[in-house]
Amino acid sequence: MLDHVPYFSYILSAFIGIGLAAATGFRVFLPMFAVSLASYFHWIPMNEHFEWLSGLPALITTGIATIAEILTYYIPFVDHLLDTVSVPLATVAGSVLFASQFADLGTFPQWALALIAGGGTAATISSGFAGIRAASTATTGGLGNSVVGTTETAGAGIMSILAMAAPIIAAVFALIMIILVIIFGRKALRKLRGNKNATDSI
């Protein structure tokens, strides 16, 4: 029924792309591994320009990178080092996964949309959680960071599955997550700055 809606395929691709981009905001490599796995077993189609994602080398590489990324975020202080590069990496990964969902849009519109919608979504969520982690370190001495890390991993997994299985729901969740991350991320940064100013005044 929805197939008769004008440009529905592009709309659906955008929903999938937004969901995957949001997932990369939580974890960079897990969504790429999920897409690589799904395309390798032909569970989802893959744009011919991104067939490298469905190959065995990409599947093995993203799988190893996923495990390493997840485990590293449980190491104190190292997780903050990762946060310094997670935002640009998430922006790139979100843009690539968003662009991979469009086949006939044209190179410039494809990547322009990918950078704005995909990269922007991923960067917003990634930077928000980086702020939350920084506040967690300041207020709990790093003890609460494992909770933040587990939440990010779960979010990446859930959003990756939803993006491929229920893209409309994934897009709605992505929008909600962006709003929540902005709100709580700003609160966390304000709290962190407040604690820093209080320490400096002592």
Side-chain angles (χ1 to χ4, degrees):
M1 182 178 178
L2 291 176
D3 292 339
H4 298 292
V5 177
Y7 306 108
F8 176 72
S9 62
Y10 291 116
I11 296 172
L12 187 62
S13 294
F15 286 155
I16 297 173
I18 288 292
L20 291 174
T24 62
F26 291 103
R27 283 287 177 268
V28 174
F29 293 106
L30 196 156
M32 298 193 77
F33 171 69
V35 170
S36 183
L37 182 68
S39 59
Y40 180 78
F41 286 105
H42 305 291
W43 296 336
I44 62 170
M46 180 55 63
N47 183 335
E48 62 179 7
H49 297 295
F50 292 88
E51 285 183 352
W52 55 271
L53 262 176
S54 60
L56 186 59
L59 179 62
I60 294 173
T61 302
T62 55
I64 294 173
T66 296
I67 295 172
E69 182 183 24
I70 291 173
L71 294 178
T72 304
Y73 267 103
Y74 288 102
I75 302 175
F77 302 110
V78 178
D79 54 353
H80 290 295
L81 294 177
L82 283 179
D83 280 337
T84 61
V85 296
S86 65
V87 176
L89 284 178
T91 303
V92 172
S95 299
V96 169
L97 289 181
F98 188 96
S100 71
Q101 301 306 306
F102 291 89
D104 305 316
L105 193 59
T107 302
F108 178 76
Q110 178 186 31
W111 285 104
L113 276 174
L115 288 171
I116 295 171
T121 298
T124 300
I125 293 177
S126 181
S127 59
F129 269 96
I132 292 172
R133 193 186 334 276
S136 171
T137 299
T139 55
T140 68
L143 296 177
N145 289 14
S146 60
V147 176
V148 178
T150 302
T151 301
E152 288 175 316
T153 301
I158 292 171
M159 286 302 299
S160 297
I161 294 172
L162 277 178
M164 293 182 283
I168 296 177
I169 296 176
V172 172
F173 277 5
L175 180 60
I176 294 173
M177 281 306 307
I178 289 172
I179 295 172
L180 290 177
V181 163
I182 290 174
I183 293 173
F184 287 106
R186 284 181 176 177
K187 285 183 178 180
L189 285 174
R190 286 197 198 110
K191 190 171 184 178
L192 180 63
R193 288 170 183 168
N195 290 339
K196 186 177 179 180
N197 290 336
T199 303
D200 293 339
S201 63
I202 296 175

